Amino acid sequence: MGLDFTAIDFETANGFRGSPCAVGLTKVRGGRIVEEASWLMRPPASYDHFDYHNVRIHGITARDVAGMPRFGELFPEIGAFIGDDILAAHNAAFDLGVIRSGLEVSGLAGPGYDYVCTVMLSRRCYSLVSNSLPFAAEEAGVPLVNHHDAAEDARACAGILIDIAGRNGANSIAELYLSLGLVMPRQEAFDPARDGLSKPSLAAISAAAGSGAALVRPFQSGWPEEGANPDPNPDAHPGHPLYGQTVVFTGQLSMGRPEAKVRSAELGARPESRVTGRTTVLVVGDGFVASDLRSGRLTGKARRVLELHERGQAIEVLSEGEFLQMVGSFAAAAVSA
């Protein structure tokens, strides 16, 4: 069995992950890209409004997808392209969540998928201060020109996985995971007649009905409240990218830091209030994006992270958008990494 998989990347219309408006797919056989596909689409009905923050990042508007098939109508073609392949995605919790939530709010069944997260593999195999897609792609030798173009992002994800397999002498995904001592995660099949809805979908349905929180919360000025540091959930899934991480927050977030700490602890992370030698992840608010690491627009905590990284500490910086993808929140715009 060769290095065979399909890389996938979604862009979403708003902060709910079940609002896909574009998808890119890259099929790899024997470690080589052999086929690509991409589609624009309308998100599922009632979840198809376009938030300013998302449009500003990926450039797709409601006008661009007017008249396009909705996600539920297009999913048979997406599923046919994937077939029985292992899926690869950069921050797979988000992209697999898009599939699951999109199916849930469309009332459609879907298959299960074994999947690979190239964010987690990048952490294991590279030494980067940010494992965002542009940084990891550059390390893999596949620089990303048009980040947030779904087709290009999927191609970059494929290149990262090919590079990591090569560095580890692996001829298949199974060999790679065996060499790294990892167990491949799986998203189980969904049947609306049998299975309950996920938390993100339930929250979005409640919000759409007018009985839940707004999809975008207003920015709150003033010094952020730290709140308590809850213990990690011992029953969290070890395959989640926040599992086992020690997380610190800096800058203004669209959700309060106490809520962010609870969300991360539920997923197996240990939240703390200041950067120390234990810190492995710093989440930066204030509109931070990974490119700010090069421009120097950083908080004091982020500068401290750069210093620790240069000294050899395994520590990385996440934007709030990347964090929101990982926790499955729709509190603010969530776009692909």
Side-chain angles (χ1 to χ4, degrees), residues 8-10 17 87-100 113-121 157 177 185-187 239-241 322 325-326 336-337:
I8 189 167
D9 179 84
F10 281 103
R17 65 188 187 183
L87 278 177
H90 204 72
N91 191 7
F94 173 76
D95 294 280
L96 272 292
V98 171
I99 294 176
R100 177 63 183 257
Y113 294 107
D114 292 324
Y115 65 89
V116 170
C117 178
T118 51
V119 167
M120 295 191 67
L121 292 177
C157 173
Y177 266 61
R186 178 175 177 81
Q187 177 164 283
H240 193 277
E322 292 170 310
Q325 289 178 355
M326 291 179 181
S336 68

Coordinates of all heavy atoms in Angstrom, one line a residue, residues 8-10 17 87-100 113-121 157 177 185-187 239-241 322 325-326 336-337:
I8 N -8.2 17.7 2.1 CA -9.4 18.5 2.0 C -9.3 19.8 2.8 O -8.6 19.9 3.8 CB -10.6 17.7 2.5 CG1 -11.9 18.4 2.2 CG2 -10.5 17.4 4.0 CD1 -13.2 17.5 2.4
D9 N -9.9 20.9 2.2 CA -9.9 22.2 2.9 C -11.3 22.8 2.6 O -11.7 22.9 1.5 CB -8.8 23.1 2.4 CG -8.9 24.4 3.1 OD1 -8.3 24.5 4.3 OD2 -9.5 25.4 2.6
F10 N -11.9 23.3 3.7 CA -13.2 24.0 3.5 C -13.0 25.5 3.9 O -12.2 25.8 4.8 CB -14.2 23.5 4.5 CG -14.9 22.2 4.0 CD1 -14.6 21.0 4.5 CD2 -15.9 22.3 3.0 CE1 -15.2 19.8 4.1 CE2 -16.5 21.1 2.6 CZ -16.2 19.9 3.1
R17 N -19.4 26.1 11.8 CA -18.6 25.3 10.9 C -19.5 24.5 9.9 O -18.9 24.0 8.9 CB -17.7 24.3 11.7 CG -18.5 23.3 12.5 CD -17.6 22.5 13.4 NE -18.3 21.4 14.0 CZ -17.8 20.6 14.9 NH1 -16.5 20.7 15.3 NH2 -18.5 19.6 15.5
L87 N -8.7 10.9 4.9 CA -8.7 12.3 4.7 C -7.6 13.0 5.4 O -7.3 12.6 6.6 CB -10.0 12.9 5.2 CG -11.2 12.8 4.2 CD1 -12.5 13.4 4.9 CD2 -10.9 13.5 2.9
A88 N -6.9 13.9 4.8 CA -5.9 14.8 5.5 C -6.4 16.2 5.5 O -6.9 16.7 4.5 CB -4.6 14.7 4.8
A89 N -6.2 16.9 6.6 CA -6.6 18.3 6.7 C -5.7 19.0 7.7 O -5.2 18.4 8.6 CB -8.1 18.4 7.1
H90 N -5.5 20.3 7.5 CA -4.7 21.1 8.4 C -5.7 21.6 9.4 O -6.4 22.5 9.1 CB -4.0 22.2 7.6 CG -2.7 22.6 8.3 ND1 -1.6 21.9 8.4 CD2 -2.5 23.8 9.0 CE1 -0.7 22.5 9.1 NE2 -1.2 23.7 9.5
N91 N -5.6 21.1 10.6 CA -6.6 21.3 11.7 C -7.8 20.5 11.3 O -8.9 21.0 11.0 CB -6.9 22.8 11.9 CG -7.8 22.9 13.2 OD1 -8.0 22.0 14.0 ND2 -8.2 24.2 13.4
A92 N -7.7 19.2 11.3 CA -8.7 18.3 10.8 C -10.0 18.3 11.7 O -11.1 18.1 11.2 CB -8.2 16.8 10.8
A93 N -9.9 18.7 12.9 CA -11.1 18.8 13.8 C -12.1 19.8 13.1 O -13.3 19.6 13.2 CB -10.7 19.3 15.2
F94 N -11.5 20.9 12.5 CA -12.4 21.8 11.8 C -13.0 21.2 10.6 O -14.2 21.2 10.4 CB -11.6 23.1 11.5 CG -12.4 24.1 10.7 CD1 -13.4 24.9 11.2 CD2 -12.1 24.2 9.3 CE1 -14.1 25.8 10.5 CE2 -12.8 25.1 8.5 CZ -13.8 25.9 9.1
D95 N -12.2 20.8 9.6 CA -12.7 20.3 8.3 C -13.6 19.1 8.5 O -14.6 19.0 7.8 CB -11.5 20.0 7.4 CG -10.8 21.3 7.1 OD1 -11.2 22.1 6.2 OD2 -9.7 21.6 7.7
L96 N -13.3 18.2 9.3 CA -14.2 17.0 9.6 C -15.4 17.5 10.2 O -16.5 17.0 10.0 CB -13.5 16.0 10.4 CG -12.7 14.9 9.7 CD1 -13.6 14.0 8.8 CD2 -11.6 15.5 8.8
G97 N -15.3 18.5 11.1 CA -16.5 19.1 11.7 C -17.4 19.8 10.7 O -18.6 19.8 10.9
V98 N -16.8 20.4 9.7 CA -17.6 21.0 8.6 C -18.5 19.9 8.0 O -19.7 20.1 7.7 CB -16.7 21.7 7.6 CG1 -17.6 22.1 6.4 CG2 -16.0 22.9 8.2
I99 N -17.9 18.8 7.6 CA -18.7 17.7 7.0 C -19.8 17.3 8.0 O -20.9 17.2 7.6 CB -17.7 16.5 6.7 CG1 -16.7 16.9 5.6 CG2 -18.6 15.3 6.2 CD1 -15.7 15.8 5.3
R100 N -19.4 17.0 9.2 CA -20.4 16.5 10.2 C -21.6 17.5 10.4 O -22.7 17.2 10.3 CB -19.8 16.2 11.5 CG -20.7 15.7 12.6 CD -21.4 14.4 12.2 NE -22.3 14.0 13.3 CZ -22.1 13.0 14.2 NH1 -20.9 12.4 14.2 NH2 -23.0 12.7 15.1
Y113 N -14.9 8.5 8.3 CA -13.7 8.7 7.7 C -12.5 8.6 8.7 O -12.6 9.1 9.8 CB -13.6 10.2 7.2 CG -14.5 10.5 6.0 CD1 -15.6 11.3 6.2 CD2 -14.3 10.0 4.7 CE1 -16.5 11.6 5.2 CE2 -15.1 10.3 3.7 CZ -16.2 11.1 3.9 OH -17.1 11.3 2.9
D114 N -11.5 7.8 8.3 CA -10.2 7.8 9.0 C -9.6 9.1 8.5 O -9.7 9.5 7.4 CB -9.4 6.6 8.7 CG -9.9 5.3 9.2 OD1 -10.5 5.4 10.3 OD2 -9.8 4.3 8.6
Y115 N -8.9 9.8 9.4 CA -8.3 11.1 9.0 C -7.0 11.4 9.7 O -6.6 10.8 10.7 CB -9.3 12.2 9.3 CG -9.6 12.5 10.7 CD1 -8.9 13.4 11.5 CD2 -10.7 11.9 11.3 CE1 -9.2 13.7 12.8 CE2 -11.0 12.2 12.6 CZ -10.3 13.0 13.4 OH -10.6 13.3 14.7
V116 N -6.2 12.3 9.1 CA -4.9 12.7 9.5 C -4.9 14.2 9.7 O -5.5 14.9 8.8 CB -3.8 12.3 8.5 CG1 -2.5 13.0 8.8 CG2 -3.7 10.8 8.4
C117 N -4.4 14.7 10.8 CA -4.3 16.2 11.0 C -2.9 16.6 10.8 O -2.0 16.2 11.6 CB -4.8 16.5 12.4 SG -4.7 18.3 12.8
T118 N -2.6 17.4 9.8 CA -1.3 17.9 9.5 C -0.8 18.9 10.5 O 0.4 19.2 10.6 CB -1.1 18.3 8.1 OG1 -2.1 19.3 7.8 CG2 -1.2 17.2 7.1
V119 N -1.7 19.6 11.3 CA -1.2 20.4 12.4 C -0.5 19.6 13.4 O 0.6 19.9 13.9 CB -2.4 21.2 13.0 CG1 -2.0 21.9 14.3 CG2 -3.0 22.3 12.1
M120 N -1.1 18.5 13.8 CA -0.5 17.6 14.8 C 0.8 17.0 14.3 O 1.8 16.9 15.1 CB -1.5 16.6 15.3 CG -2.7 17.1 16.0 SD -3.8 15.9 16.7 CE -2.7 15.3 18.1
L121 N 0.8 16.6 13.1 CA 2.0 16.0 12.5 C 3.1 17.1 12.4 O 4.3 16.8 12.6 CB 1.7 15.4 11.1 CG 0.8 14.2 11.2 CD1 0.6 13.7 9.7 CD2 1.5 13.0 12.0
C157 N -1.7 21.3 2.1 CA -1.8 20.2 3.1 C -1.3 18.9 2.6 O -0.6 18.2 3.3 CB -3.3 20.1 3.5 SG -3.7 18.7 4.6
Y177 N 2.2 6.6 10.9 CA 1.6 6.6 12.2 C 2.3 5.6 13.1 O 2.5 5.8 14.3 CB 0.1 6.4 12.1 CG -0.7 7.7 12.1 CD1 -0.5 8.6 11.1 CD2 -1.5 8.1 13.1 CE1 -1.1 9.8 11.0 CE2 -2.2 9.3 13.1 CZ -2.0 10.2 12.1 OH -2.6 11.4 12.1
P185 N -7.0 8.7 14.1 CA -8.4 9.0 14.6 C -9.4 8.7 13.5 O -9.1 8.6 12.3 CB -8.4 10.5 14.9 CG -7.3 11.1 14.0 CD -6.2 10.0 13.9
R186 N -10.7 8.6 13.9 CA -11.8 8.4 12.9 C -13.0 9.1 13.3 O -13.3 9.3 14.5 CB -12.1 6.9 12.9 CG -13.2 6.5 12.0 CD -13.5 5.0 11.9 NE -14.6 4.6 11.1 CZ -14.6 4.6 9.7 NH1 -13.4 4.8 9.1 NH2 -15.6 4.3 9.1
Q187 N -13.6 9.7 12.3 CA -15.0 10.3 12.5 C -16.0 9.3 12.0 O -15.9 8.9 10.9 CB -15.1 11.6 11.7 CG -16.5 12.2 11.9 CD -16.5 13.7 11.4 OE1 -16.1 14.6 12.1 NE2 -17.0 13.9 10.2
G239 N -6.6 12.4 20.4 CA -6.3 12.8 19.1 C -6.6 14.2 18.8 O -6.3 14.7 17.7
H240 N -7.1 15.0 19.7 CA -7.5 16.4 19.5 C -6.2 17.2 19.6 O -5.3 17.0 20.5 CB -8.5 16.9 20.5 CG -9.1 18.2 20.1 ND1 -8.4 19.4 20.4 CD2 -10.2 18.5 19.4 CE1 -9.1 20.4 19.9 NE2 -10.2 19.9 19.3
P241 N -6.0 18.2 18.7 CA -4.8 19.0 18.8 C -4.5 19.8 20.0 O -3.4 20.2 20.3 CB -4.9 20.0 17.6 CG -6.4 20.0 17.2 CD -6.9 18.6 17.6
E322 N -7.7 30.1 14.7 CA -7.3 28.7 14.7 C -7.8 28.0 16.0 O -8.2 26.9 16.0 CB -5.7 28.6 14.7 CG -5.2 29.1 13.4 CD -3.7 29.2 13.4 OE1 -3.2 29.9 14.3 OE2 -3.0 28.7 12.5
Q325 N -11.5 27.2 15.7 CA -11.7 26.0 14.9 C -11.5 24.8 15.8 O -12.3 23.8 15.7 CB -10.7 26.0 13.8 CG -10.9 27.0 12.7 CD -9.8 26.9 11.6 OE1 -8.9 26.2 11.8 NE2 -10.0 27.6 10.6
M326 N -10.5 24.8 16.6 CA -10.2 23.6 17.4 C -11.2 23.3 18.5 O -11.5 22.1 18.8 CB -8.8 23.8 18.1 CG -7.6 23.8 17.1 SD -6.0 24.0 17.9 CE -4.9 24.0 16.4
S336 N -10.7 28.4 7.8 CA -9.7 27.4 7.8 C -8.3 27.9 8.1 O -8.0 29.0 7.8 CB -9.7 26.6 6.5 OG -9.3 27.4 5.5
A337 N -7.5 27.0 8.7 CA -6.2 27.4 9.1 C -5.3 27.7 8.0 O -4.2 28.3 8.1 CB -5.5 26.4 10.0

